Amino acid sequence: MSNAGDFAPNTKTHEMAMEDKITSVSKEKRVIKPAAEFQKQANIGSMTAYRKMYRESINSPSKFWAKQAKDFLVWRKPWNKVVEWKAPHAKWFTGGMINVAENCLDRHLGTARENKAAIIFEGEPGDVRTITYKQLHGEVCRFANVLTRLGVKKGDRVAIYLPMVPEAAVAMLATARIGAIHTVIFGGFSSSAITERVNDCEAKLVITADGGYRRGGVVELKKNVDEALKKTPSVEKVVVVRRCGNSVQMKKGRDVWYHEELEEASPVHKAKGFSSENPLFILYTSGSTGKPKGVLHTSAGYLLGTALTSYYVFDLKEYDTYWCSADVGWITGHSYVVYGPLCSGATTVMYEGAPNYPDIDRFWSIIERHRISIFYTAPTAIRAFMRGGDEPVKKHDMSSLRLLGTVGEPINPEAWMWYYKTIGGGRCPVVDTWWQTETGAIMITPLPGVTPMKPGSATLPFFGVEPEVVDDSGRKVPKNSGGKLVIKRPWPSMLRTLWGDDKRFKEQYWSQFPGIYFCGDGCRQDKDGYYWIVGRIDDVLNVSGHRLGTAELESALVSHADVAEAAIVSKPDEIKGSGVVAFVTLKAGRNGSDNLKKTLREHVGKEIGPIARPDEIRFTEGLPKTRSGKIMRRILKEVASGGDRYGDVTTLEDFNVVARLAKTGEDE
Ligand code: WT7
């Protein structure tokens, strides 16, 4: 449970002596009914309709999924069997043949969509490109021919290390089109992260760019690749996209320019069908420490999961301009920037740069200028904007928005309300979507316009998803008590294994409760059946015998008017086993004082109860986060205990944060 490098010996013995129950302490009671106007036009029209369809999906899964697969995908050859389940291995739509890229592109040609924008791209410097389905199809076909000419075949691994530019989508789709497997490496990762991932999957070819724009500067991606490739024997070719025009070294015989190759390539490419279970991509996701896990997704089931959720959760309509602000380096970028929206024929927006460049209102300016109707982002971004106040939002016309979404971590109710009111003007439903890299697609979520929303809860399961909150022996816990979140049956977009490590796959997800998927999250189900994620089990705190989820404590702190963001960790305490340390960032213009510390402790005591009062509060300018917005609690734990063994910090968004954090304890 605990990872090496932290306080495993102490906490572990302590935890084992404890009851396995997680105490959930949130007192959030608000219910927000969706607007009738939205409901009238929603893709699913009522709770009755949702419940009926959900029941069908659970009672007759094969029939349900067969119908969806027929309605949402185009097939080269129909499947024989909907699912073959030999726990923990699932195969979906066996016998079927499909081409993922054809589903995202060719199927829209010859329809009214062919001249519709598939991608609207905005670069950080402000350059805008609109690419229609027909144009995107042409470029993907050309690039598929290039990849083939460079020796890439079905099953080969292709690493993609690009900024958020349309070529990233082209690279993914072209790789998929020829039945090869992509692994997208986030453009913010360092060269050692590239080496590790490329070697793990033995990629044959790397697609990168000279550079990408970030906060006004150029991130030299090709340089990182050159460094990384000193130790990657599998790589034969490198394709380089010209983005910034910065000078790069091209290695003879290995490196080629994307634009030069495309020029020579034929725009005609006949897509072949591949089996439903042909691997589509590997995406590395880090555990809190140790070697990243290569989550493997395959073709038909994954695509169906993303297409179905895109349609129902984002209520996609032909006229929508949809923007998911995630980078393609994360699963959200795979499923809800590229595959889900394009399979649905939607217009998907890609933005290259930082959310606060040149100013904190960049996102709102993008929404105003492109008339975006659906916006999907992360709680960490929402809290950062909230910290800057309402003024930057009010400068812009946000009336094009009709639906908002969030993903990545539990959203604290205060941030939810701000998002709903200030960004959505109180008229847009907010879909708080719970899912994981491993689940491929959204699992627990409101249906917009239909599900009554509770700020902070991802609400109810999507079709075909059977969650349960259980204790350590796998028994369902009573409503309103905390436990572990499991998924009790296979679903089409689930991960198939971890690349090259089926043993770890079994141990990680299927060993706690045999035959049942354990996602690693703590959770509580309320009396209405709503799910409330209380945080990762690894982060659960143990305070005088109570196991508390970090999310609820952090949310209590953030509900104080002066607080922008908070992160809670435990530190070893000789008497209590562990004590609670809160790292707090304040809203603009607020000052951290001893008085405020006292007030905040009392505030948490009032919101939750005296047991949860932090032992120590430290004000800080920033929190150590990964670029996907997850707080790196491992680092905070180390800081809280006065240590400096931070471990691997290559995924850290801002290295300076650690130095500043270390100073937070100096006045104590
Ligand atoms: C973990 C998965 C799924 C795409 C982005 C993250 C947390 C995610 C929510 C939510 C509460 C959430 C969970 C989950 N998480 N969405 N709506 N409410 N928690 O993907 O990096 O694989 O992380 O993120 O802890 O297990 P990921």
Side-chain angles (χ1 to χ4, degrees), residues 33 36 91 143 195 198 243 259 262 357 376 400 410 416 472:
K33 292 230 170 72
K91 289 184 184 161
F143 197 52
T195 306
V198 163
R243 167 66 184 138
H259 61 275
L262 272 202
Y357 187 84
Y376 189 33
S400 57
W416 193 103
D472 279 356

Side-chain angles (χ1 to χ4, degrees), residues 285 330-332 376 379 406-411 432-439 444 456 458 519-521 533 535-536 628 630:
T285 169
W330 313 117
I331 189 69
T332 314
Y376 189 33
T406 120
V407 61
E409 55 177 316
I411 181 163
D432 175 354
T433 60
W434 179 87
W435 58 294
Q436 308 176 292
T437 304
E438 292 87 344
T439 69
I444 301 180
C519 69
D521 285 353
I533 304 294
R536 302 286 300 168
S628 64
K630 291 217 177 354

Side-chain angles (χ1 to χ4, degrees), residues 210-527:
D210 49 3
Y213 292 104
R214 188 89 191 171
R215 294 213 168 92
V218 171
V219 181
E220 296 189 85
L221 299 175
K222 175 62 164 61
K223 216 173 175 182
N224 290 346
V225 167
D226 289 341
E227 180 62 31
L229 265 47
K230 287 179 182 159
K231 288 172 250 147
T232 55
S234 60
V235 176
E236 293 166 14
K237 296 279 176 194
V238 179
V239 182
V240 187
V241 174
R242 183 178 276 160
R243 167 66 184 138
C244 301
N246 52 310
S247 79
V248 295
Q249 285 189 351
M250 299 293 278
K251 189 170 166 185
K252 250 203 147 128
R254 187 193 72 179
D255 302 352
V256 295
W257 284 105
Y258 176 87
H259 61 275
E260 286 177 4
E261 295 294 310
L262 272 202
E263 236 164 68
E264 285 166 29
S266 157
V268 181
H269 183 274
K270 270 187 83 177
K272 279 203 319 208
F274 297 99
S275 76
S276 297
E277 283 295 333
N278 195 47
L280 178 61
F281 65 85
I282 302 163
L283 185 58
Y284 288 90
T285 169
S286 41
S288 29
T289 54
K291 190 170 163 270
K293 301 175 285 209
V295 170
L296 180 74
H297 282 288
T298 59
S299 300
Y302 169 78
L303 194 63
L304 180 58
T306 61
L308 194 69
T309 46
S310 293
Y311 180 75
Y312 284 115
V313 179
F314 298 120
D315 192 53
L316 279 180
K317 299 287 194 300
E318 216 51 75
Y319 45 77
D320 277 312
T321 301
Y322 161 94
W323 181 28
C324 163
S325 71
D327 192 282
V328 286
W330 313 117
I331 189 69
T332 314
H334 284 61
S335 301
Y336 298 111
V337 175
V338 178
Y339 289 113
L342 295 179
C343 190
S344 315
T347 296
T348 181
V349 173
M350 290 176 88
Y351 168 59
E352 176 188 31
N356 56 356
Y357 187 84
D359 283 306
I360 189 160
D361 65 341
R362 180 63 181 262
F363 272 20
W364 322 132
S365 148
I366 292 175
I367 288 174
E368 176 176 25
R369 282 180 291 106
H370 298 292
R371 308 309 292 149
I372 283 159
S373 55
I374 303 173
F375 177 53
Y376 189 33
T377 196
T380 176
I382 298 168
R383 281 192 301 269
F385 294 131
M386 198 175 151
R387 190 178 185 188
D390 294 5
E391 283 318 306
V393 187
K394 293 216 173 104
K395 287 204 319 227
H396 297 278
D397 175 7
M398 308 278 281
S399 62
S400 57
L401 288 174
R402 67 179 196 92
L403 193 159
L404 300 172
T406 120
V407 61
E409 55 177 316
I411 181 163
N412 49 294
E414 294 320 306
W416 193 103
M417 290 306 298
W418 186 83
Y419 195 34
Y420 178 69
K421 285 191 188 149
T422 309
I423 304 303
R427 52 171 204 285
C428 308
V430 173
V431 290
D432 175 354
T433 60
W434 179 87
W435 58 294
Q436 308 176 292
T437 304
E438 292 87 344
T439 69
I442 293 167
M443 301 290 275
I444 301 180
T445 177
L447 290 179
V450 170
T451 313
M453 299 167 286
K454 301 189 186 185
S457 169
T459 77
L460 300 169
F462 189 70
F463 305 128
V465 176
E466 194 186 358
E468 196 160 280
V469 183
V470 301
D471 64 19
D472 279 356
S473 60
R475 268 189 305 262
K476 186 173 176 169
V477 301
K479 290 273 165 72
N480 267 329
S481 24
K484 293 177 174 171
L485 181 63
V486 298
I487 311 292
K488 291 177 70 184
R489 60 168 75 199
W491 64 99
S493 64
M494 67 196 285
L495 80 166
R496 298 303 193 258
T497 187
L498 295 177
W499 182 259
D501 203 347
D502 200 53
K503 187 165 159 268
R504 190 171 177 197
F505 167 68
K506 289 176 182 153
E507 277 166 14
Q508 183 85 38
Y509 307 105
W510 305 92
S511 63
Q512 286 239 353
F513 312 106
I516 291 176
Y517 176 80
F518 174 48
C519 69
D521 285 353
C523 188
R524 162 177 71 95
Q525 196 184 18
D526 72 15
K527 61 175 188 352

